[in-house]
Amino acid sequence: VAFDDAGENGLVTLDAGTPYAGCKTDGVITPEYSITTDSLVSAADCPGGSTFVSRTDSDALPAASAATGTFCGNKGGARNKQGCVIKYHKFTGKPIWGKDLPPVTAIVASPDGSSISISGWYYSGWGEFRFDDVLLPGYLRVDGLGTQKWGIFNAKLASSTGKGEYVIHSGGGLGERIFDTVGDSSGNLYNVGWMKNTVMNWGGSLRTKLIEQGVEPSPANFGWAPVPSIGTHIFVSKLAAGKESIPHPCLSTCDDTTDTATVKEGHCFIDGVCYSSGASAEAFGKACFVCDPAASQIQWSPGDMYGKTHCYVDDVCWKNGDFLFSQRKTHSAKAYSMCQRCEALTSASTWSVKAGYTYNVADNVCVDTETW
């Protein structure tokens, strides 16, 4: 099962709720999970001379007595892990494990029951989204802020332990959501949801672009960065998740995990996706970063535009002359600074101050020095 807003203020024990049944002998109750886990315990399972204690009996064992040590919630109360997937035993109801995750939309069991696939969404305004050590990238719409990155995810967990087997990012850019995920007998998954941009990067090499009819196309709609659409559109995507997985084409060896894999020359392997040399990171708000195997094969590297025509500030690439702005929400009006702007040749990593102005850091205001 999955819960939303689970343990928002810290750790919450899962040893709570319905008491346990058991068998009572000489005043001592043996809990049902110590008698059998193959079926619901009844009076017929109690040995001679003992008394069956039902879950509704006043002598039933409190849930806390199991002391399984399973929890939901994060110690810092961070908003970026509002969901919790929990496995309970199907007969005893005893908690087996709990896994804190971003908001979860759906859970699909594998055909053989050895794993579960989950889907959901994340928003960078809540902080970094990590699945253990894996950091998911956020997709950024054109003219967005670094705090407005969105993403959809699919992940696979081992049923027995809750340990993650993989996680992938499956599109995003402007408030995308998954309504549901279903599976078929071969283990393939189908995501159903809505999208609010014309470009979707579905993970791997699959990218699609939507052309809205009767609407003047945005000048920005000629690249592969997410562009806000006029309408909201329903989508269905398929994730091949059968037992016979397809290897990443840019990996020459992958004997353990992708962290230790060997990447082929002329390619990068970033956030679980293969890119050819020169590929742009524009979908993630980093149009001035590219795949440069000579610099790094596992992360985006500054491209030719960085420091010449673009700055990289606040996790976004900005064009020369672009002014800093703030925006309370993605649909709110933008409030532009009067003096802080990108001047790549002056500073490629910080905001520069326009000539004729000074910037008062303490008061966060621009002062026009030419009018004094």
Side-chain angles (χ1 to χ4, degrees):
V1 297
F3 290 97
D4 191 16
D5 302 328
E8 286 186 312
N9 297 318
L11 293 176
V12 174
T13 180
L14 299 182
D15 289 318
T18 304
Y20 293 104
C23 298
K24 185 175 182 179
T25 305
D26 297 330
V28 178
I29 301 176
T30 301
E32 56 184 296
Y33 52 79
S34 295
I35 297 171
T36 182
T37 55
D38 295 330
S39 62
L40 288 172
V41 171
S42 65
D45 296 302
C46 293
S50 64
T51 304
F52 175 67
V53 178
S54 71
R55 293 177 180 177
T56 58
D57 195 287
S58 59
D59 284 342
L61 292 169
S65 65
T68 63
T70 53
F71 297 89
C72 272
N74 52 84
K75 296 179 180 179
R79 297 177 65 195
N80 57 359
K81 286 192 175 180
Q82 292 191 350
C84 187
V85 177
I86 306 166
K87 180 180 180 180
Y88 293 99
H89 190 274
K90 65 178 180 179
F91 293 124
T92 67
K94 185 179 180 182
I96 299 174
W97 52 259
K99 187 75 171 180
D100 293 306
L101 298 164
V104 175
T105 298
I107 301 175
V108 180
S110 64
D112 63 2
S114 64
S115 63
I116 60 169
S117 294
I118 60 174
S119 61
W121 59 277
Y122 55 97
Y123 174 51
S124 64
W126 293 347
E128 290 185 340
F129 282 91
R130 291 184 179 273
F131 287 73
D132 296 327
D133 294 330
V134 180
L135 175 64
L136 295 185
Y139 291 87
L140 182 66
R141 63 187 173 92
V142 171
D143 295 329
L145 293 170
T147 55
Q148 297 172 336
K149 295 183 178 182
W150 299 78
I152 293 169
F153 73 85
N154 287 94
K156 183 178 180 181
L157 308 179
S159 299
S160 59
T161 63
K163 183 178 179 180
E165 296 185 8
Y166 72 73
V167 61
I168 62 172
H169 46 98
S170 307
L174 183 62
E176 277 62 38
R177 294 286 192 280
I178 287 184
F179 282 140
D180 199 5
T181 300
V182 296
D184 61 24
S185 59
S186 298
N188 299 306
L189 301 174
Y190 303 85
N191 294 328
V192 182
W194 82 70
M195 54 191 284
K196 292 185 177 182
N197 63 71
T198 59
V199 173
M200 285 290 277
N201 295 264
W202 299 102
S205 59
L206 179 61
R207 298 185 296 182
T208 59
K209 182 176 293 186
L210 175 71
I211 304 298
E212 294 177 296
Q213 297 296 318
V215 176
E216 187 68 25
S218 167
N221 202 24
F222 298 103
W224 284 106
V227 178
S229 58
I230 301 301
T232 299
H233 305 275
I234 298 296
F235 72 79
V236 178
S237 63
K238 178 181 179 181
L239 176 66
K243 292 183 178 179
E244 295 181 4
S245 60
I246 300 174
H248 295 286
C250 66
L251 301 182
S252 56
T253 62
C254 187
D255 298 326
D256 187 13
T257 68
T258 54
D259 290 336
T260 58
T262 302
V263 184
K264 295 180 181 178
E265 291 186 10
H267 294 79
C268 299
F269 185 68
I270 305 172
D271 298 326
V273 179
C274 290
Y275 298 95
S276 298
S277 178
S280 170
E282 63 175 343
F284 310 105
K286 300 179 179 181
C288 57
F289 279 66
V290 297
C291 162
D292 182 359
S296 174
Q297 289 187 292
I298 58 173
Q299 60 185 353
W300 297 108
S301 304
D304 291 339
M305 296 188 296
Y306 177 76
K308 297 178 182 177
T309 61
H310 287 69
C311 306
Y312 182 66
V313 189
D314 298 333
D315 203 31
V316 176
C317 287
W318 305 86
K319 295 179 182 178
N320 265 334
D322 284 348
F323 281 84
L324 167 68
F325 68 86
S326 60
Q327 190 176 29
R328 191 171 65 88
K329 294 183 177 180
T330 55
H331 57 270
S332 302
K334 297 176 180 179
Y336 286 91
S337 169
M338 294 177 59
C339 66
Q340 291 181 283
R341 67 179 185 178
C342 166
E343 295 179 7
L345 296 178
T346 301
S347 175
S349 60
T350 60
W351 294 110
S352 299
V353 178
K354 181 182 177 181
Y357 285 83
T358 60
Y359 175 64
N360 187 316
V361 178
D363 297 328
N364 190 29
V365 295
C366 295
V367 180
D368 185 349
T369 59
E370 293 184 347
T371 59
W372 292 92

